[in-house]
């Protein structure tokens, strides 16, 4: 039989749990959250050594929420006791918040298909139940959707998102491809383990001329760790490298081919720090979005699909040029606006949401200046 809810959220990571906290403030709203794994599943899949690059600090009582919090009162720093939480620590924080607020989350419920319903809304077929909802909020993130084919021969290369622990990399030397956060972090972790690393990058994402927005340049946390890695004398950084292919050579060697004719032969397959698919999990229901020329879903000002009314996107894939919402402290500012819009269309009192505006500090106010780059 089919069950009906007014709103369904797919994904119980930072975006899904945070969005659920906003919806929970709307009286009499029927909603649920579906999670294919466990709460915070993507964070649980991070390499053991990976840490949040944004710091956590309990500044909430003074009007500035923890940068990694999903609501205005909680703090990952309090739950984890860490300034830079690990993936497991952050997943535990999300679980604590979900439990404290009794959020209606169903774990181990995988969405198999989503189709628009004839009477409006959407029908979701899952491995447990068939659901009809008037509004659908897609919050599946991007970490579980790595770019595994950035060039020919990439199938031989382990991707950052496929690593459980860097302790498994026991060879004396490695080459890492990619000069942004994941590539640089891979190099840093290997250097800490005593390995020698060659890092191939198109350009520096940490020089003085890099954009100030951490969505476009290396974070201060990673820059400091990179400096220590360089001081080890075991890190070689090669700039201007556009990798075209990786081939297997005689003797089990791997050759990395660059567009300018350079190549490097390595006994180990290079490690991919080449990022994640544009649009991330939105590609699971690709036919329900319009897509721009860069391969990203086209959204209204309220993060609604321009092709499928009632379908919203939350999380790190959201962009409104020039704004990129790929950090928790950025995309959490969208929750109240989406919840308020849904409340308006359902004729539900949304006064409880008004407290959220401004709770994130001066740049989270709804009357923030138009040119704000928050």
């Amino acid at each position: 039989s089919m069950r009906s809810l007014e709103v369904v959220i797919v994904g119980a990571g930072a975006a899904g749990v945070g969005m659920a906290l906003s919806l929970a403030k709307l009286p009499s709203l029927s909603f649920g959250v579906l999670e294919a794994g466990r709460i915070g599943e993507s964070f649980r899949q991070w390499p053991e050594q990976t840490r949040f690059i944004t710091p956590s600090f309990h500044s909430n009582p003074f009007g500035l929420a923890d940068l990694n919090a999903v609501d205005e009162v909680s703090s990952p720093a309090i739950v984890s006791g860490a300034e830079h939480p690990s993936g497991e620590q952050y997943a535990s924080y999300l679980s604590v918040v979900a439990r404290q607020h009794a959020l209606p989350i169903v774990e181990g419920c995988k969405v198999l298909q989503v189709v628009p319903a004839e009477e409006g809304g959407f029908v979701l077929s899952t491995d447990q139940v068939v659901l009809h909802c008037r509004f659908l909020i897609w919050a599946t993130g991007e970490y579980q959707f790595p770019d595994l084919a950035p060039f020919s021969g990439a199938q031989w290369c382990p991707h950052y998102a496929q690593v459980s622990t860097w302790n498994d990399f026991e060879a004396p030397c490695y080459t890492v491809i990619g000069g942004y956060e994941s590539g640089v972090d891979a190099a840093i972790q290997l250097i800490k383990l005593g390995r020698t690393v060659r890092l191939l990058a198109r350009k520096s994402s940490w020089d003085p001329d890099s954009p100030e927005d951490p969505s476009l340049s290396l974070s201060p946390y990673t820059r400091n760790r990179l400096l220590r890695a360089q001081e080890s004398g075991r890190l070689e950084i090669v700039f201007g490298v556009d990798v075209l292919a990786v081939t297997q050579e005689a003797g089990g060697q791997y050759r990395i081919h660059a567009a300018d004719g350079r190549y490097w032969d390595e006994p180990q397959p290079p490690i991919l720090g080449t990022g994640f698919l544009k649009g991330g999990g939105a590609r699971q229901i690709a036919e329900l979005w319009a897509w721009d020329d860069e391969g990203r879903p086209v959204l209204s000002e309220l993060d609604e699909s321009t092709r499928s009314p009632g379908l919203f996107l939350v999380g790190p894939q959201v962009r409104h040029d020039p704004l990129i919402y790929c950090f928790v402290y950025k995309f959490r500012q969208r929750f109240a606006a989406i919840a308020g819009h849904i409340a308006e269309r359902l004729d539900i009192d949304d006064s409880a949401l008004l407290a959220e505006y401004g709770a994130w500090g001066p740049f989270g106010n709804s009357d923030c200046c138009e040119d704000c780059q928050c």
Side-chain angles (χ1 to χ4, degrees), residues 4 8 26 60 65-66 89 110 136 154 192 202 233 242 361 366:
S4 292
V8 169
L26 300 176
N60 310 55
D66 187 316
Q89 288 174 323
K110 184 176 182 179
L136 176 61
K192 288 173 64 177
R202 286 194 177 100
D242 183 10
S366 58

Side-chain angles (χ1 to χ4, degrees), residues 10-132:
V10 177
V17 171
M19 189 69 237
L21 290 172
S22 287
L23 293 182
K25 296 179 180 181
L26 300 176
S28 71
L29 179 73
S30 64
F31 75 96
V33 184
L34 307 181
E35 168 55 55
R38 295 176 294 170
I39 295 173
E41 185 65 33
S42 290
F43 296 104
R44 299 181 194 276
Q45 295 183 21
W46 280 10
E48 176 187 341
Q49 296 84 357
T50 301
R51 299 292 182 268
F52 264 71
I53 59 177
T54 44
S56 278
F57 200 90
H58 188 227
S59 52
N60 310 55
F62 295 90
L64 293 172
D66 187 316
L67 287 179
N68 300 317
V70 293
D71 69 346
E72 62 269 34
V73 295
S74 67
S75 172
I78 297 298
V79 175
S80 67
E83 183 177 4
H84 293 273
S86 67
E88 280 289 344
Q89 288 174 323
Y90 193 77
S92 296
Y93 154 74
L94 292 177
S95 296
V96 167
V97 171
R99 184 171 61 251
Q100 287 177 338
H101 292 267
L103 296 178
I105 299 175
V106 181
E107 296 179 283
C109 184
K110 184 176 182 179
V111 175
L112 305 175
Q113 185 182 39
V114 178
V115 295
E118 292 183 3
E119 66 273 27
F122 304 89
V123 175
L124 286 74
S125 299
T126 78
D127 55 5
Q128 295 187 25
V129 67
V130 178
L131 286 170
H132 172 266

Side-chain angles (χ1 to χ4, degrees), residues 72 118 133 143 151 210 227 233 267 293 316 346:
E72 62 269 34
E118 292 183 3
C133 62
Y143 188 78
F151 46 73
S210 296
L227 178 60
D293 294 337
L346 291 174

Side-chain angles (χ1 to χ4, degrees), residues 141-221:
E142 61 183 8
Y143 188 78
Q144 296 187 53
F145 306 93
D147 186 358
L148 300 178
F151 46 73
S152 174
Q155 69 270 18
W156 292 306
C157 310
H159 190 282
Y160 185 96
Q162 297 172 319
V163 175
S164 298
T165 175
W166 294 106
N167 293 326
D168 293 338
F169 291 75
E170 299 177 344
C173 59
Y174 289 94
T175 292
V176 177
I177 300 172
Y180 191 51
E181 289 290 347
S182 59
V184 174
D185 185 65
I188 290 169
Q189 301 298 347
L190 292 169
I191 292 293
K192 288 173 64 177
L193 292 171
R195 316 296 185 250
T196 298
V197 178
R198 175 186 290 122
L199 180 63
L200 304 180
R202 286 194 177 100
K203 61 181 181 179
S204 169
S205 59
W206 57 87
D207 60 39
D209 296 327
S210 296
E212 294 181 358
D213 187 343
S215 299
L216 300 171
S217 63
L218 214 58
S219 66
Y221 175 67

